[in-house]
Each structure stands twice: as C-alpha cells, then as structure tokens.
Amino acid sequence: MNPKRRVFLFIILLSASSLFFFIPWRLAILLVLVEFSVFFLYASMKKDEENAQRKKQYEQQFLLIFRYFQILLQHSLTAYQALKTLLSYVEDPLHHELALFLVNMDQDKSIAPYRQFAATFDSMMVEQILLSMYQLDLQGGDGMSLFHFQYLF
C-alpha cells in the first residue's frame, strides 16, 4: 500500500475512534459499520486492481509467445503441437493457464477450451487470435491466416 494512503487511512481511523468517547453508543456502532464497509470497499478495489494487472501481464506474455507460435506453425507443426512446445518457455503466471488449456484441448475438441482460455484475458484481440487458432486446428494449414494479427502488436 502507498505510504501516503496508509497515513491517510490511519488518520481517518484515529479520528473516528476518538469520537467514540463523545457520541452515543448507537452512533458509535454506525461509525464502526461505516469504517468496516469502507475497508471492505477498499480491499475489493485493491483486488480488482491486482486482477487487472495480472490479466495485463498474461496478455503481454501471450502476445510474446504468439510470435513464436507463428514460427512453429511455419515449420509444419499443428496448433496443439506448437502450444505444447511453447509450454516449456512460458513464464509462471501464464504457464499454469496454458497447461490447463492444453489439457482441456485434449479432453474437449470443441471451441469451449478456447473460449475458456480467452476468458483469462481482457483483450478482444487475444480472443480473436484464439478463435483463429481454433479454425486453424479444425481446417489445418500453415497458419497464414494468423499472420494478419502481427500488424496489431
């Protein structure tokens, strides 16, 4: 937490707690409830901020491995084989999600695993890439349909 925010939060809590000596008990209970609700609101906002930051980090890693994915497709690998090869090069935050995606691809040949993996990201571009990967997996080919994405990033 930012030191300025800590000091600000401490001053608010200190001033609110010092008021308990001068106000009736019902108002004191109300103030305690307000303080707790503000704390939980702040905690939920912090969690949302961390989730957004994590998704941004996932997106950056995905776009990095996507470039290597395109190269592997040019060397006659299928989309599944290319992703399995790239799994060993993916860093930890996205590694678990990609491994789960590969397991789901093994079990379910529909578009559901692709959509589930796309939910890991906030970007519509990543979702479009994954849908194109699904089409590539269905129709086969050398991945030339994915090269129009390289101009976007």
Side-chain angles (χ1 to χ4, degrees):
M1 181 187 297
N2 188 349
K4 291 180 182 179
R5 286 186 181 175
R6 283 186 186 181
V7 170
F8 181 70
L9 187 61
F10 177 73
I11 290 172
I12 289 175
L13 291 175
L14 185 65
S15 63
S17 62
S18 66
L19 289 175
F20 289 138
F21 295 112
F22 305 110
I23 56 176
W25 65 274
R26 288 183 182 170
L27 190 55
I29 291 174
L30 179 66
L31 284 175
V32 168
L33 291 176
V34 167
E35 284 181 12
F36 278 122
S37 64
V38 167
F39 172 74
F40 286 119
L41 178 66
Y42 176 76
S44 68
M45 287 173 42
K46 185 74 171 169
K47 187 172 183 170
D48 290 343
E49 182 181 313
E50 289 171 357
N51 284 341
Q53 186 177 15
R54 178 180 45 84
K55 285 187 175 195
K56 182 77 171 169
Q57 191 177 32
Y58 281 176
E59 182 181 335
Q60 289 172 349
Q61 283 187 354
F62 179 80
L63 294 178
L64 180 67
I65 66 166
F66 181 69
R67 293 180 180 135
Y68 297 115
F69 177 78
Q70 289 175 323
I71 293 169
L72 291 173
L73 288 178
Q74 288 177 341
H75 292 293
S76 301
L77 271 81
T78 64
Y80 179 80
Q81 292 169 338
L83 287 173
K84 198 160 189 152
T85 303
L86 287 174
L87 185 62
S88 60
Y89 299 105
V90 177
E91 293 179 13
D92 194 29
L94 188 60
H95 186 273
H96 175 71
E97 297 293 331
L98 187 59
L100 185 63
F101 176 51
L102 289 171
V103 168
N104 289 341
M105 282 177 68
D106 279 339
Q107 296 172 353
D108 187 2
K109 301 300 181 194
S110 71
I111 197 167
Y114 291 86
R115 289 192 179 266
Q116 196 174 30
F117 185 61
T120 308
F121 308 95
D122 280 336
S123 174
M124 288 295 289
M125 180 176 57
V126 174
E127 184 176 350
Q128 291 299 316
I129 290 171
L130 288 167
L131 293 176
S132 294
M133 287 169 65
Y134 174 70
Q135 288 177 340
L136 178 70
D137 218 12
L138 278 180
Q139 299 168 355
D142 59 353
M144 291 304 288
S145 62
L146 295 176
F147 279 96
H148 66 276
F149 288 109
Q150 78 184 21
Y151 300 110
L152 297 176
F153 47 87

mmCIF file of all heavy atoms in Angstrom, residues 7-33:
data_model
loop_
_atom_site.group_PDB
_atom_site.id
_atom_site.type_symbol
_atom_site.label_atom_id
_atom_site.label_comp_id
_atom_site.label_asym_id
_atom_site.label_seq_id
_atom_site.Cartn_x
_atom_site.Cartn_y
_atom_site.Cartn_z
ATOM 1 N N VAL A 7 -1.005 6.558 5.837
ATOM 2 C CA VAL A 7 -1.114 7.670 6.782
ATOM 3 C C VAL A 7 -2.532 8.232 6.760
ATOM 4 O O VAL A 7 -3.126 8.495 7.810
ATOM 5 C CB VAL A 7 -0.067 8.762 6.460
ATOM 6 C CG1 VAL A 7 -0.325 10.020 7.261
ATOM 7 C CG2 VAL A 7 1.333 8.238 6.699
ATOM 8 N N PHE A 8 -3.084 8.420 5.591
ATOM 9 C CA PHE A 8 -4.435 8.941 5.457
ATOM 10 C C PHE A 8 -5.444 8.010 6.125
ATOM 11 O O PHE A 8 -6.325 8.460 6.873
ATOM 12 C CB PHE A 8 -4.770 9.140 3.975
ATOM 13 C CG PHE A 8 -6.135 9.697 3.730
ATOM 14 C CD1 PHE A 8 -6.431 11.014 4.068
ATOM 15 C CD2 PHE A 8 -7.131 8.912 3.173
ATOM 16 C CE1 PHE A 8 -7.689 11.535 3.848
ATOM 17 C CE2 PHE A 8 -8.394 9.424 2.949
ATOM 18 C CZ PHE A 8 -8.677 10.738 3.293
ATOM 19 N N LEU A 9 -5.320 6.715 5.889
ATOM 20 C CA LEU A 9 -6.213 5.738 6.490
ATOM 21 C C LEU A 9 -6.056 5.721 8.002
ATOM 22 O O LEU A 9 -7.038 5.648 8.746
ATOM 23 C CB LEU A 9 -5.952 4.361 5.899
ATOM 24 C CG LEU A 9 -6.898 3.244 6.275
ATOM 25 C CD1 LEU A 9 -8.315 3.577 5.821
ATOM 26 C CD2 LEU A 9 -6.458 1.944 5.664
ATOM 27 N N PHE A 10 -4.831 5.835 8.490
ATOM 28 C CA PHE A 10 -4.579 5.858 9.925
ATOM 29 C C PHE A 10 -5.219 7.081 10.576
ATOM 30 O O PHE A 10 -5.836 6.979 11.639
ATOM 31 C CB PHE A 10 -3.068 5.844 10.196
ATOM 32 C CG PHE A 10 -2.718 5.946 11.652
ATOM 33 C CD1 PHE A 10 -2.910 4.869 12.499
ATOM 34 C CD2 PHE A 10 -2.210 7.118 12.174
ATOM 35 C CE1 PHE A 10 -2.595 4.955 13.837
ATOM 36 C CE2 PHE A 10 -1.886 7.223 13.508
ATOM 37 C CZ PHE A 10 -2.083 6.128 14.358
ATOM 38 N N ILE A 11 -5.105 8.234 9.935
ATOM 39 C CA ILE A 11 -5.699 9.459 10.480
ATOM 40 C C ILE A 11 -7.216 9.342 10.535
ATOM 41 O O ILE A 11 -7.847 9.739 11.521
ATOM 42 C CB ILE A 11 -5.254 10.687 9.653
ATOM 43 C CG1 ILE A 11 -3.781 10.967 9.895
ATOM 44 C CG2 ILE A 11 -6.093 11.912 10.004
ATOM 45 C CD1 ILE A 11 -3.194 12.020 8.985
ATOM 46 N N ILE A 12 -7.804 8.795 9.497
ATOM 47 C CA ILE A 12 -9.261 8.622 9.483
ATOM 48 C C ILE A 12 -9.700 7.682 10.600
ATOM 49 O O ILE A 12 -10.644 7.972 11.346
ATOM 50 C CB ILE A 12 -9.736 8.113 8.112
ATOM 51 C CG1 ILE A 12 -9.594 9.210 7.073
ATOM 52 C CG2 ILE A 12 -11.169 7.619 8.180
ATOM 53 C CD1 ILE A 12 -9.922 8.772 5.676
ATOM 54 N N LEU A 13 -9.017 6.547 10.728
ATOM 55 C CA LEU A 13 -9.391 5.596 11.775
ATOM 56 C C LEU A 13 -9.169 6.163 13.167
ATOM 57 O O LEU A 13 -9.971 5.945 14.075
ATOM 58 C CB LEU A 13 -8.612 4.295 11.594
ATOM 59 C CG LEU A 13 -8.977 3.463 10.380
ATOM 60 C CD1 LEU A 13 -8.061 2.263 10.255
ATOM 61 C CD2 LEU A 13 -10.420 3.022 10.453
ATOM 62 N N LEU A 14 -8.090 6.905 13.345
ATOM 63 C CA LEU A 14 -7.800 7.514 14.640
ATOM 64 C C LEU A 14 -8.841 8.558 15.004
ATOM 65 O O LEU A 14 -9.338 8.600 16.126
ATOM 66 C CB LEU A 14 -6.398 8.132 14.633
ATOM 67 C CG LEU A 14 -5.909 8.713 15.957
ATOM 68 C CD1 LEU A 14 -5.761 7.593 16.977
ATOM 69 C CD2 LEU A 14 -4.594 9.421 15.759
ATOM 70 N N SER A 15 -9.192 9.397 14.046
ATOM 71 C CA SER A 15 -10.192 10.436 14.331
ATOM 72 C C SER A 15 -11.560 9.822 14.595
ATOM 73 O O SER A 15 -12.306 10.274 15.462
ATOM 74 C CB SER A 15 -10.258 11.448 13.197
ATOM 75 O OG SER A 15 -10.673 10.816 12.023
ATOM 76 N N ALA A 16 -11.891 8.779 13.852
ATOM 77 C CA ALA A 16 -13.177 8.122 14.058
ATOM 78 C C ALA A 16 -13.225 7.424 15.414
ATOM 79 O O ALA A 16 -14.239 7.469 16.111
ATOM 80 C CB ALA A 16 -13.449 7.133 12.938
ATOM 81 N N SER A 17 -12.125 6.785 15.787
ATOM 82 C CA SER A 17 -12.125 6.091 17.080
ATOM 83 C C SER A 17 -12.110 7.073 18.246
ATOM 84 O O SER A 17 -12.637 6.770 19.314
ATOM 85 C CB SER A 17 -10.936 5.145 17.166
ATOM 86 O OG SER A 17 -9.728 5.868 17.092
ATOM 87 N N SER A 18 -11.528 8.244 18.074
ATOM 88 C CA SER A 18 -11.533 9.231 19.160
ATOM 89 C C SER A 18 -12.922 9.819 19.374
ATOM 90 O O SER A 18 -13.235 10.297 20.465
ATOM 91 C CB SER A 18 -10.517 10.337 18.875
ATOM 92 O OG SER A 18 -10.916 11.078 17.753
ATOM 93 N N LEU A 19 -13.769 9.771 18.381
ATOM 94 C CA LEU A 19 -15.128 10.272 18.513
ATOM 95 C C LEU A 19 -16.001 9.376 19.387
ATOM 96 O O LEU A 19 -17.040 9.816 19.875
ATOM 97 C CB LEU A 19 -15.774 10.424 17.134
ATOM 98 C CG LEU A 19 -15.259 11.555 16.255
ATOM 99 C CD1 LEU A 19 -15.927 11.475 14.896
ATOM 100 C CD2 LEU A 19 -15.513 12.897 16.897
ATOM 101 N N PHE A 20 -15.575 8.120 19.580
ATOM 102 C CA PHE A 20 -16.384 7.196 20.362
ATOM 103 C C PHE A 20 -16.575 7.653 21.809
ATOM 104 O O PHE A 20 -17.518 7.254 22.468
ATOM 105 C CB PHE A 20 -15.782 5.800 20.351
ATOM 106 C CG PHE A 20 -15.904 5.118 19.027
ATOM 107 C CD1 PHE A 20 -14.850 4.396 18.519
ATOM 108 C CD2 PHE A 20 -17.071 5.191 18.288
ATOM 109 C CE1 PHE A 20 -14.960 3.774 17.300
ATOM 110 C CE2 PHE A 20 -17.178 4.564 17.068
ATOM 111 C CZ PHE A 20 -16.121 3.851 16.573
ATOM 112 N N PHE A 21 -15.701 8.461 22.311
ATOM 113 C CA PHE A 21 -15.826 8.943 23.683
ATOM 114 C C PHE A 21 -16.903 10.011 23.821
ATOM 115 O O PHE A 21 -17.408 10.236 24.911
ATOM 116 C CB PHE A 21 -14.492 9.503 24.175
ATOM 117 C CG PHE A 21 -13.427 8.459 24.284
ATOM 118 C CD1 PHE A 21 -12.342 8.474 23.432
ATOM 119 C CD2 PHE A 21 -13.512 7.447 25.234
ATOM 120 C CE1 PHE A 21 -11.361 7.512 23.529
ATOM 121 C CE2 PHE A 21 -12.537 6.473 25.337
ATOM 122 C CZ PHE A 21 -11.455 6.504 24.484
ATOM 123 N N PHE A 22 -17.255 10.651 22.743
ATOM 124 C CA PHE A 22 -18.151 11.799 22.815
ATOM 125 C C PHE A 22 -19.527 11.575 22.178
ATOM 126 O O PHE A 22 -20.348 12.471 22.163
ATOM 127 C CB PHE A 22 -17.507 13.010 22.133
ATOM 128 C CG PHE A 22 -16.156 13.340 22.691
ATOM 129 C CD1 PHE A 22 -15.017 13.133 21.949
ATOM 130 C CD2 PHE A 22 -16.035 13.850 23.980
ATOM 131 C CE1 PHE A 22 -13.774 13.434 22.466
ATOM 132 C CE2 PHE A 22 -14.788 14.153 24.502
ATOM 133 C CZ PHE A 22 -13.652 13.944 23.745
ATOM 134 N N ILE A 23 -19.776 10.406 21.642
ATOM 135 C CA ILE A 23 -21.039 10.178 20.950
ATOM 136 C C ILE A 23 -21.789 9.006 21.572
ATOM 137 O O ILE A 23 -21.190 8.158 22.231
ATOM 138 C CB ILE A 23 -20.795 9.923 19.449
ATOM 139 C CG1 ILE A 23 -19.831 8.769 19.243
ATOM 140 C CG2 ILE A 23 -20.308 11.165 18.757
ATOM 141 C CD1 ILE A 23 -19.611 8.404 17.804
ATOM 142 N N PRO A 24 -23.098 8.932 21.348
ATOM 143 C CA PRO A 24 -23.889 7.819 21.891
ATOM 144 C C PRO A 24 -23.473 6.479 21.266
ATOM 145 O O PRO A 24 -22.889 6.437 20.182
ATOM 146 C CB PRO A 24 -25.323 8.167 21.496
ATOM 147 C CG PRO A 24 -25.314 9.577 21.069
ATOM 148 C CD PRO A 24 -23.919 9.939 20.704
ATOM 149 N N TRP A 25 -23.790 5.401 21.937
ATOM 150 C CA TRP A 25 -23.334 4.078 21.504
ATOM 151 C C TRP A 25 -23.933 3.656 20.171
ATOM 152 O O TRP A 25 -23.298 2.942 19.404
ATOM 153 C CB TRP A 25 -23.620 3.041 22.581
ATOM 154 C CG TRP A 25 -25.066 2.808 22.862
ATOM 155 C CD1 TRP A 25 -25.874 3.489 23.711
ATOM 156 C CD2 TRP A 25 -25.876 1.807 22.263
ATOM 157 N NE1 TRP A 25 -27.136 3.002 23.697
ATOM 158 C CE2 TRP A 25 -27.181 1.944 22.802
ATOM 159 C CE3 TRP A 25 -25.660 0.806 21.330
ATOM 160 C CZ2 TRP A 25 -28.234 1.143 22.439
ATOM 161 C CZ3 TRP A 25 -26.705 -0.004 20.971
ATOM 162 C CH2 TRP A 25 -27.979 0.163 21.517
ATOM 163 N N ARG A 26 -25.152 4.064 19.846
ATOM 164 C CA ARG A 26 -25.746 3.687 18.557
ATOM 165 C C ARG A 26 -24.997 4.329 17.396
ATOM 166 O O ARG A 26 -24.772 3.705 16.367
ATOM 167 C CB ARG A 26 -27.210 4.103 18.504
ATOM 168 C CG ARG A 26 -28.085 3.258 19.371
ATOM 169 C CD ARG A 26 -29.514 3.638 19.235
ATOM 170 N NE ARG A 26 -30.324 2.823 20.128
ATOM 171 C CZ ARG A 26 -31.573 3.036 20.386
ATOM 172 N NH1 ARG A 26 -32.194 4.057 19.824
ATOM 173 N NH2 ARG A 26 -32.233 2.256 21.201
ATOM 174 N N LEU A 27 -24.619 5.559 17.588
ATOM 175 C CA LEU A 27 -23.852 6.239 16.552
ATOM 176 C C LEU A 27 -22.453 5.627 16.427
ATOM 177 O O LEU A 27 -21.903 5.537 15.333
ATOM 178 C CB LEU A 27 -23.760 7.742 16.848
ATOM 179 C CG LEU A 27 -23.195 8.627 15.758
ATOM 180 C CD1 LEU A 27 -23.967 8.448 14.457
ATOM 181 C CD2 LEU A 27 -23.201 10.071 16.181
ATOM 182 N N ALA A 28 -21.906 5.188 17.566
ATOM 183 C CA ALA A 28 -20.597 4.535 17.545
ATOM 184 C C ALA A 28 -20.648 3.247 16.733
ATOM 185 O O ALA A 28 -19.754 2.956 15.942
ATOM 186 C CB ALA A 28 -20.126 4.260 18.971
ATOM 187 N N ILE A 29 -21.715 2.479 16.928
ATOM 188 C CA ILE A 29 -21.882 1.237 16.163
ATOM 189 C C ILE A 29 -22.031 1.561 14.677
ATOM 190 O O ILE A 29 -21.449 0.885 13.820
ATOM 191 C CB ILE A 29 -23.091 0.442 16.689
ATOM 192 C CG1 ILE A 29 -22.786 -0.100 18.076
ATOM 193 C CG2 ILE A 29 -23.445 -0.690 15.738
ATOM 194 C CD1 ILE A 29 -23.965 -0.766 18.749
ATOM 195 N N LEU A 30 -22.773 2.597 14.375
ATOM 196 C CA LEU A 30 -22.933 3.012 12.985
ATOM 197 C C LEU A 30 -21.594 3.400 12.368
ATOM 198 O O LEU A 30 -21.283 3.014 11.240
ATOM 199 C CB LEU A 30 -23.921 4.172 12.892
ATOM 200 C CG LEU A 30 -24.165 4.733 11.492
ATOM 201 C CD1 LEU A 30 -24.860 3.694 10.628
ATOM 202 C CD2 LEU A 30 -24.955 6.015 11.561
ATOM 203 N N LEU A 31 -20.792 4.135 13.107
ATOM 204 C CA LEU A 31 -19.472 4.526 12.598
ATOM 205 C C LEU A 31 -18.562 3.327 12.383
ATOM 206 O O LEU A 31 -17.814 3.280 11.405
ATOM 207 C CB LEU A 31 -18.809 5.535 13.542
ATOM 208 C CG LEU A 31 -19.347 6.955 13.474
ATOM 209 C CD1 LEU A 31 -18.696 7.819 14.545
ATOM 210 C CD2 LEU A 31 -19.102 7.542 12.106
ATOM 211 N N VAL A 32 -18.627 2.364 13.283
ATOM 212 C CA VAL A 32 -17.824 1.152 13.116
ATOM 213 C C VAL A 32 -18.254 0.422 11.844
ATOM 214 O O VAL A 32 -17.407 -0.041 11.063
ATOM 215 C CB VAL A 32 -17.945 0.245 14.350
ATOM 216 C CG1 VAL A 32 -17.364 -1.132 14.079
ATOM 217 C CG2 VAL A 32 -17.252 0.883 15.545
ATOM 218 N N LEU A 33 -19.558 0.325 11.626
ATOM 219 C CA LEU A 33 -20.045 -0.333 10.412
ATOM 220 C C LEU A 33 -19.611 0.418 9.157
ATOM 221 O O LEU A 33 -19.238 -0.197 8.151
ATOM 222 C CB LEU A 33 -21.561 -0.460 10.458
ATOM 223 C CG LEU A 33 -22.119 -1.438 11.491
ATOM 224 C CD1 LEU A 33 -23.639 -1.386 11.504
ATOM 225 C CD2 LEU A 33 -21.637 -2.840 11.196
#
